[in-house]
Amino acid sequence: MTYRDAVAVAIAQEMARDETVVLLGEDVAAAVVFKEGASAPADELRRFCLATLADYKVPRRWLFVEALPRNATDKVVKHEVRALFGAASGGSGASASGEESPR
């Protein structure tokens, strides 16, 4: 199981989330799509992840979105997800931290 997969599986075990994409870089980041009517604060997801993952694998940045950007073959477009983090933080996305939630 890859690093990204381990983090995504840990997040998937918590709450009623529909999809998660994990981005690696200076900090681990996770963009989460919840099922209809479900939600969870980033600190609750972080606590759950800390119980199942090493600290360095736990996302430091969270973004909650209605849907993940996809290409014509239905794959998640990760550079567009990175751009969403940048838009939520008002910058390039490389320095944002904490919970960013447009919902």
Side-chain angles (χ1 to χ4, degrees):
M1 180 179 297
T2 68
Y3 186 138
R4 281 188 184 113
D5 292 342
V7 176
V9 166
I11 295 168
Q13 292 173 352
E14 176 66 4
M15 304 301 163
R17 67 109 199 119
D18 207 15
E19 293 182 286
T20 302
V21 64
V22 175
L23 303 175
L24 303 178
E26 196 171 307
D27 285 326
V28 178
V32 179
V33 178
F34 286 104
K35 290 183 180 176
E36 187 69 32
S39 67
D43 61 337
E44 187 174 332
L45 288 170
R46 179 170 165 67
R47 277 193 307 273
F48 181 81
C49 287
L50 280 169
T52 58
L53 295 169
D55 181 65
Y56 70 92
K57 291 183 179 181
V58 176
R60 304 287 190 253
R61 299 169 54 213
W62 299 86
L63 185 67
F64 303 106
V65 294
E66 297 294 322
L68 296 171
R70 296 186 175 278
N71 64 19
T73 60
D74 205 35
K75 292 185 179 180
V76 174
V77 183
K78 291 182 182 163
H79 72 273
E80 289 184 20
V81 175
R82 284 185 185 89
L84 290 173
F85 273 100
S89 67
S92 66
S95 63
S97 64
E99 177 178 345
E100 292 123 7
S101 179
R103 291 170 77 156

